[in-house]
Amino acid sequence: MRCFQLSAGVSWLPDIASPSPSPPPPPPPPHLHLTLPGTQIENIEEDFRNGLKLMLLLEVISGERLPKPDKGKMRFHKIANVNKALEFISSKGVKLVSIGAEEIVDGNLKMTLGMIWTIILRFAIQDISVEETSAKEGLLLWCQRKTAPYRNVNVQNFHISWKDGLALCALIHRHRPDLIDYSKLRKDDPIGNLNTAFEVAEKYLDIPKMLDADDIVNTPKPDEKAIMTYVSCFYHAFAGAEQAETAANRICKVLAVNQENEKLMEEYEKLASELLEWIRRTIPWLENRVAEQTMHAMQQKLEDFRDYRRVHKPPKVQEKCQLEINFNTLQTKLRLSNRPAFMPSEGKMVSDIANAWKGLEQVEKGYEEWLLTEIRRLERLDHLAEKFKQKSTLHESWTTGKEELLSQKDYESASLMEIRALMRKHEAFESDLAAHQDRVEQIAAIAQELNELDYYDAATINAQCQGICDQWDNLGTLTQKRRESLERVEKLWETIDQLYLEFAKRAAPFNNWMDGAMEDLQDMFIVHRCWCCSSVINSFFVHTILITAHDQFKATLPEADKERMAIMGIHNEILKIAQTYGIKVVGENLYTVLSPQDISNKWEAVKQLVPMRDQTLQEEVARQQSNERLRRQFAAQANIIGPWIQTKMEEISHMSTDIAGSLEEQMSNLKTYEQNIINYKSNIDKLEGDHQLSQEGLIFDNKHTNYTMEHVRVGWEQLLTTIARTINEVENQILTRDAKGISQEQLNEFRASFNHFDRKRNGMMDPDDFRACLISMGYDLVSAFSPGEVEFARIMTLVDPNNTGVVTFQAFIDFMTRETAETDTAEQVMASFKILASDKLYITVEELRRELPPEQAEYCISRMTKYIGGDAPPGSLDYISFSSALYGESDL
């Protein structure tokens, strides 16, 4: 048996399965316990006989003080010292069978070796623990795990499994690959392999060469205790390195979570900024209410607005929904990693984005209403302007030459017959003038309405109207003056041609009637734009009145024809009298400017306009019928789509509270459901097309349905947002379940409890129901440090931080998972950094780069503050404040 070299030190045997948060630094290997001068063991039989080195060995290996040894050199002094050592061994629960102080003092080699093995087993091997196995089994399991990846190595025991030396070389290569090139080792060279392992261990690992390669190879079954003792030296030599590896892995995990969360925060900030900027740019465009002067320009504005609705807005709706989903996912990940909640930059909260979106939709709705109102106004203005033009043209045509005619003084040189003719002619003119009074009043009324509706060319209209009114006043003045002149000389004249007078009197009203009839037959009035009637039913009613009036007008044509024939009969009577009595009729009728030919021509014009008016009314009937078909077509689809959306919203609400099946099955069902909803988009698009046709036809009312396109759009967007949010909630539940180790049965139990106390069936519980739910699940609201109301108030701040007065299912799940699972803490991260720093209160840049992967090391270096302390070298970093910041208030 080779002698042991024992050095003064403290034995440290770590627990591999459950590493301490802050273990003491690794000691020298347990086989080097006495290497000081005068304490080296040279001969097992002789060096332990006086008991002094034995007591010193036990003090060093146990770290405890033994009773003071006897200094004498007599036999009884030696026996007393050995007994003190044996009593100490027995006090540690070790049974020494057949080993007495006399055998050790007498140099009994067998008993001395048995005692040494007992000490090794108790202080170097017994405390080894790997996954609830200890001593020999634990050491064997550790060897098996470390050598598992290596070829030609199969550790099953502590004798023949080590004969070829590959197992020892594998242990060294696993922890220090720089010391041995394992690929060059050969299984058929056991002595070379063993000597390589012994030499490397002694030179670089401070493990003495306890075994002989020839003895191991040439022995059928090598000594199990010797190999176990030697292998235990490797365990203790590499235990500290495994602690550092575990600590580094924990830090890498924590930093990776932090980096991923920071990336999600940056993505949220970027997406939120872009969406808010788009809203900021869009609102001024929608608030621009500068009206165009022409119908074409306003129609282009309406088309631009429709293009915005179809092309530009839908992607932003998706971005807004995705932003909410990303925010919820990020908050869930932060809760699961025990990080504080993410607080976006000022003005970029989800609520801020929702408010901005709401403001956008309000402005958008106002802009659409303004567009439609302006289009109606411009259409009305165009109609009135055309009507003003027609009436003004007719009036100006009638007044042409009237002022000159009234200003003549032909009566001064006229004969009696001529005077009488002039007088009758003037009376006829007065009758005609009175008949035209109504037309002048209509022209003035139309001009006033154009001014009230802010017609863009109102200045021209006002100038023309003012000219007509001034001319009309002048005509009235001239007419009155001429009458006075004719009455003054009328007494001088007696002869009058009654027939001419009668012709003039009957021809003038008839001519005026024909003018009015022609004006009515050419009226530009359009039924569906009747401004005194806004509803569809009133439009049809007005249309019916027009058709009835036209039918009544046609019924009066026979009587009018009789009047025409009577007037023409007067003219024929004049000709007959002239022929009978030989009177030569020369010149025109002095009492009127109307000739029989004029009456005939206008009558033929009236007869031609009647069928044209019939055709115009029939076309209007067809257009009204087409509009009614559009209304019914839109209503038929809207009455199906509207209830369908409402039904789907109710089904999604039911699915979100249903606990049947696993979360993955619910996710699959929701995805299928979402695809079905997306497939339904074609029906929405078809309804949009019908809505556009209705707007192009200027149809703004529909008595066949209560659903407008705006209602359907809002419902469709809410449906897409609801299914996306429901899917996100299930994804978060899966993430919570996987991260916290919550079983499907537990989640079902949480869902069942929540549904039971969700009395309003709206996916939320009020505080009283939440309290009852907690009590029903066995939660004790009375803690050791606070009474029930205080504890419940604390819980409510966790599940309802915004004081909304309700508890959602996601908040309930988060609280229950926090109560049933553990997460990393700041103290654990500090302890891991402390291991990497070799128990110092600071850590250097070199240590971080040596122990951590490059990305995580640079991450720590860029964020750790300088360590403030007199005993630290320049550039040292403070890992304690960094670890606290990871779990404290985040300013990310």
Side-chain angles (χ1 to χ4, degrees), residues 634 684-685 687-689 691 707-714:
F634 177 89
I684 304 296
D685 295 338
L687 190 66
E688 282 281 8
H691 176 66
Y707 294 98
T708 66
M709 195 63 232
E710 185 66 25
H711 292 155
V712 174
R713 288 194 198 103
V714 172

Side-chain angles (χ1 to χ4, degrees), residues 320-357:
K320 174 177 173 290
C321 179
Q322 189 62 43
L323 190 68
E324 295 175 358
I325 291 173
N326 291 348
F327 182 83
N328 293 336
T329 301
L330 174 59
Q331 298 293 43
T332 300
K333 288 186 176 181
L334 290 173
R335 286 194 298 269
L336 296 178
S337 59
N338 201 24
R339 301 301 197 278
F342 170 57
M343 292 296 293
S345 303
E346 183 177 358
K348 295 179 183 178
M349 295 287 292
V350 173
S351 59
D352 297 328
I353 295 172
N355 292 335
W357 190 266

Side-chain angles (χ1 to χ4, degrees), residues 377-433:
R377 185 182 69 83
L378 288 176
E379 186 179 36
R380 172 64 175 166
L381 287 174
D382 289 346
H383 169 68
L384 289 174
E386 184 63 25
K387 193 170 184 179
F388 178 88
K389 179 180 179 181
Q390 288 183 355
K391 288 184 176 292
S392 298
T393 301
L394 287 173
H395 177 77
E396 290 169 353
S397 175
W398 178 82
T399 58
T400 299
K402 295 295 189 292
E403 292 175 295
E404 292 78 6
L405 180 64
L406 292 173
S407 300
Q408 290 179 1
K409 295 183 179 180
D410 50 350
Y411 52 75
E412 293 179 352
S413 59
S415 63
L416 179 60
M417 294 294 294
E418 292 173 341
I419 291 297
R420 287 180 177 266
L422 290 174
M423 187 62 185
R424 300 300 179 265
K425 181 179 180 180
H426 188 72
E427 290 176 354
F429 174 77
E430 287 182 330
S431 178
D432 198 12
L433 185 69

Side-chain angles (χ1 to χ4, degrees), residues 721-734:
T721 302
T722 300
I723 188 65
R725 287 176 177 169
T726 304
I727 291 174
N728 179 245
E729 288 178 0
V730 176
E731 289 175 343
N732 288 338
Q733 293 176 30
I734 293 174

